[in-house]
Amino acid sequence: MTTVDLASMPSEVARRHHDDAPVHRPRVARRASRDTRDTMRPRIRLAMIVFSLAFLTIIGRLVSLGMMEPVPGNYGVNPNDAIATGRPDIIDRNGEVLAADIKTASVYGEPRNIIDPDEAAELLVTVLPDLKIDALRKRLSGNAGFAWIKREITPKQRQAIHSLGIPGIGFLTENRRFYTAGPTAAHILGLVNVDNQGIAGVEKYVDDQWLADLHAAGFARGEELDPVQLSIDISVQHILHDELAQAMERYSAIAASGIILDAHTGEVMAMASIPDFDPNNPVDANKPDRLNRITAGVYELGSIFKSFTFAMALDSGAVTMNDRIDATNALRVGRFTINDFHGKHRVLTVPEVFIYSSNIGSARMAMKVGQEGQQAYLRKFGFFDIPKTDLPEVAAPMMPKKWSDLTMMTIAFGHGLAVTPLQVAIADAALVNGGKLIPPTFLKRSRAEADKLAVRMVSEETSRHMRDLFALNVEKGSGRKAAVPGYNVGGKTGTAEKAVAGGYSANKRLNSFLAAFPMDDPQYVVLVVLDEPKQAKDGGGATAGWNAAPTVEAVIRRTAALLGVKPRTIQDGVVLVSN
């Protein structure tokens, strides 16, 4: 073994050997380094866990977004949220479709993706000239993700816009409501807005009852919904609408309205009010003269109101069919005088008071009942309340401010209390169907369902007397022009002077005829109201017997068979029904 003497080596070599020798550090320093490493390990693990969770969250979100439908635009605006929701079909009592959804295109823009809003607006107006270019240019500018350009465009317009090739312009398929009968049943069906939401008529009723809540909950947007079945018969509806339009023209009236009501179920079989509107293009729907005069208009209907005075007087026992009423002289109440239009100036029997439509006789009958009794009966008939029905457009009656003796007398013959024609038709049904008041409905209803809702108004005996009076009036009284051979029509005329500032106009009348048929077994009530009719060109008068009554005759003659009423003949006092 060789021994190296470091002392004898050169200094540089000795220094190198010295540097290569192991370095011996203190034990305390090594222990501190180990403690630091032990402390850092949990922190590193925690950081790794946090980053892993964040990474997994991002991956999960990316997968979720990848499964969603692509959204136009860059701001997360989904145009599908603006698409008009679906609605159920509306059908008549026989299943005929009256209203249904059809598919139509709408055009929208994504302003953020439109390169030149000015050019885009100018091009779009060449296809859609009804759009205002300044407003359109403003709508297409900016960074919005979605903006409607026009709803419900035609296929031709869609193709033309598509051919323009404008970046940022797209199309959506929407639901649009279509009404198969046009204006024929407009006041019953109502209409929808551009978002396919009901805003009038049965359409609004359906929304208010259940459809709006269903849509709000996210349901029934694309699914098929069960149809809503109405009580009306569209064939009968067409006839009523047609006859009212003819009467309006023939008698130069400013309006005409009518209703056909099932006397035993309260179902509205047909209802029309002219002028009307086309729900497929409802530009005129909000004009004041387009209101539904049957449910949303209130009127003093004149002598047809005498029917309820007679029913009240007979049912209360204040008057009997064998009584005689003095109509010799006019009635004077203070500075007011009550007279008859065609007075007989003598004592009249109760049936004569009815067929001659005596104001004096009706006022005297009301006096026998008294103010409290009159108010009680009218309230029971529903004339003090808003009628409850399926249509939202229903008006409240206009009550007299003070119920004096004069008020009692004038209301007895139809002046001083303004009600809707619907209320009159409902109450008249109670007079002829055996005495039961049944709430009206525009939805199909069975007789069993109606019986559960019926409330007795008058006795069956009183109802029988009223049927006799109605039939007698068409046979011998002012309603002769309403007679339809084989259908035993009964009814009452009403010629009411219209209220104007300071009193009543002698030249402006509201004429009406209230009818039921067949009077041996009444099935239907018909009411026609003509506003300011004039004398027909072929002659006659301007009162209800000359215009409202023959209009009812035409309606019954054309609809009776469709309504299932068979013709009848009377032999030796016995009614024979044809097979």
Side-chain angles (χ1 to χ4, degrees):
M1 181 175 180
T2 305
T3 303
V4 179
D5 185 2
L6 292 178
S8 64
M9 287 183 180
S11 59
E12 290 186 6
V13 175
R15 192 164 44 249
R16 185 167 58 249
H17 274 269
H18 183 271
D19 291 341
D20 291 340
V23 177
H24 299 283
R25 291 183 176 85
R27 290 186 178 180
V28 173
R30 286 200 299 271
R31 191 181 303 117
S33 177
R34 190 180 300 111
D35 291 343
T36 300
R37 288 195 299 271
D38 292 342
T39 304
M40 291 297 295
R41 285 192 185 99
R43 295 179 182 177
I44 294 171
R45 290 194 197 100
L46 179 61
M48 291 176 64
I49 292 171
V50 170
F51 280 112
S52 297
L53 290 174
F55 181 74
L56 289 173
T57 301
I58 293 171
I59 293 297
R61 180 60 177 160
L62 289 173
V63 171
S64 175
L65 290 173
M67 296 176 66
M68 291 175 62
E69 292 292 331
V71 179
N74 298 328
Y75 283 145
V77 177
N78 187 355
N80 291 288
D81 291 340
I83 294 178
T85 53
R87 303 183 64 82
D89 288 353
I90 300 177
I91 60 177
D92 83 339
R93 67 186 302 107
N94 301 313
E96 294 291 328
V97 176
L98 306 178
D101 281 350
I102 59 174
K103 299 299 181 182
T104 184
S106 292
V107 58
Y108 70 91
E110 298 171 314
R112 183 175 175 82
N113 295 330
I114 294 176
I115 300 171
D116 188 341
D118 292 338
E119 181 186 18
E122 290 172 2
L123 290 172
L124 287 168
V125 168
T126 62
V127 180
L128 305 171
D130 55 323
L131 296 181
K132 295 181 179 180
I133 190 167
D134 291 337
L136 180 58
R137 186 182 295 115
K138 184 177 180 181
R139 204 179 311 154
L140 297 180
S141 302
N143 292 322
F146 177 85
W148 281 120
I149 294 173
K150 188 175 181 182
R151 314 283 288 272
E152 299 177 0
I153 61 175
T154 66
K156 185 177 180 181
Q157 289 172 328
R158 173 173 178 160
Q159 182 58 43
I161 294 171
H162 178 74
S163 298
L164 295 174
I166 306 172
I169 300 298
F171 303 94
L172 289 174
T173 300
E174 290 198 273
N175 294 308
R176 180 188 176 188
R177 206 64 166 160
F178 179 69
Y179 300 91
T180 58
T184 303
H187 284 112
I188 298 174
L189 297 173
L191 69 161
V192 298
N193 62 16
V194 71
D195 292 316
N196 224 25
Q197 298 166 337
I199 58 174
V202 170
E203 295 279 28
K204 187 175 190 310
Y205 169 81
V206 171
D207 275 39
D208 292 344
Q209 290 297 306
W210 57 273
L211 187 60
D213 291 338
L214 213 57
H215 283 161
F219 299 106
R221 289 182 174 268
E223 302 89 343
E224 287 233 358
L225 298 169
D226 291 336
V228 175
Q229 188 166 35
L230 302 187
S231 59
I232 70 169
D233 183 322
I234 192 59
S235 298
V236 176
Q237 177 73 26
H238 273 293
I239 292 171
L240 176 63
H241 186 275
D242 179 59
E243 288 298 336
L244 290 174
Q246 289 189 49
M248 189 173 165
E249 181 179 358
R250 184 182 303 117
Y251 305 113
S252 303
I254 65 172
S257 56
I259 185 172
I260 302 175
L261 188 74
D262 188 308
H264 294 284
T265 65
E267 293 172 294
V268 176
M269 307 301 293
M271 184 194 74
S273 178
I274 304 175
D276 50 21
F277 60 92
D278 186 352
N280 293 312
N281 184 29
V283 292
D284 299 325
N286 289 327
K287 290 184 177 180
D289 64 344
R290 296 318 200 260
L291 86 161
N292 180 359
R293 294 166 184 267
I294 294 294
T295 67
V298 293
Y299 309 96
E300 296 180 6
L301 288 170
S303 293
I304 63 173
F305 220 76
K306 291 171 182 172
S307 307
F308 310 109
T309 299
F310 272 71
M312 169 190 73
L314 292 169
D315 200 60
S316 66
V319 174
T320 71
M321 289 289 284
N322 297 320
D323 285 350
R324 301 173 71 84
I325 308 295
D326 187 2
T328 305
N329 301 308
L331 287 174
R332 302 188 186 279
V333 184
R335 60 187 181 89
F336 297 97
T337 301
I338 296 174
N339 218 327
D340 288 340
F341 184 64
H342 290 301
K344 299 301 178 182
H345 306 292
R346 62 177 176 83
V347 175
L348 302 175
T349 64
V350 167
E352 285 178 329
V353 173
F354 194 83
I355 65 174
Y356 297 143
S357 198
S358 171
N359 295 337
I360 299 170
S362 299
R364 289 193 180 280
M365 292 171 69
M367 290 169 64
K368 291 178 178 291
V369 176
Q371 289 186 36
E372 291 185 2
Q374 184 188 49
Q375 291 182 56
Y377 263 91
L378 294 179
R379 181 177 289 106
K380 188 167 69 167
F381 273 111
F383 290 127
F384 289 4
D385 303 311
I386 299 175
K388 295 180 180 179
T389 184
D390 314 307
L391 298 189
E393 301 81 22
V394 183
M398 294 180 64
M399 310 290 295
K401 295 180 180 179
K402 181 182 177 183
W403 208 285
S404 62
D405 284 344
L406 179 62
T407 302
M408 175 184 65
M409 294 179 192
T410 58
I411 287 177
F413 53 84
H415 285 283
L417 177 63
V419 298
T420 65
L422 175 65
Q423 289 174 290
V424 172
I426 298 165
D428 181 62
L431 298 187
V432 299
N433 70 7
K436 299 177 293 183
L437 187 71
I438 302 169
T441 183
F442 290 85
L443 304 176
K444 196 170 183 180
R445 176 195 286 166
S446 69
R447 187 156 179 174
E449 292 170 331
D451 288 341
K452 294 177 182 178
L453 302 172
V455 178
R456 180 157 296 282
M457 291 293 106
V458 296
S459 68
E460 291 189 6
E461 182 182 15
T462 298
S463 179
R464 179 172 54 80
H465 289 321
M466 293 308 303
R467 293 196 295 270
D468 291 341
L469 291 172
F470 281 133
L472 185 64
N473 190 49
V474 170
E475 181 184 349
K476 298 181 179 180
S478 58
R480 286 190 292 268
K481 290 186 178 295
V484 182
Y487 288 101
N488 196 13
V489 178
K492 182 74 186 75
T493 51
T495 303
E497 294 178 346
K498 293 181 69 174
V500 295
Y504 291 89
S505 171
N507 300 318
K508 295 181 178 181
R509 299 183 179 91
L510 193 75
N511 291 0
S512 54
F513 193 81
L514 178 64
F517 73 100
M519 291 314 302
D520 54 283
D521 182 19
Q523 299 298 312
Y524 298 98
V525 168
V526 182
L527 173 61
V528 163
V529 182
L530 303 179
D531 197 345
E532 296 186 24
K534 313 297 187 298
Q535 183 176 345
K537 294 179 181 179
D538 55 358
T543 57
W546 289 96
N547 43 57
T551 303
V552 168
E553 182 273 335
V555 170
I556 294 175
R557 174 170 42 81
R558 293 179 62 187
T559 63
L562 291 174
L563 291 169
V565 180
K566 296 179 179 180
R568 55 251 290 132
T569 56
I570 300 177
Q571 293 182 0
D572 300 325
V574 178
V575 178
L576 303 177
V577 180
S578 302
N579 293 323

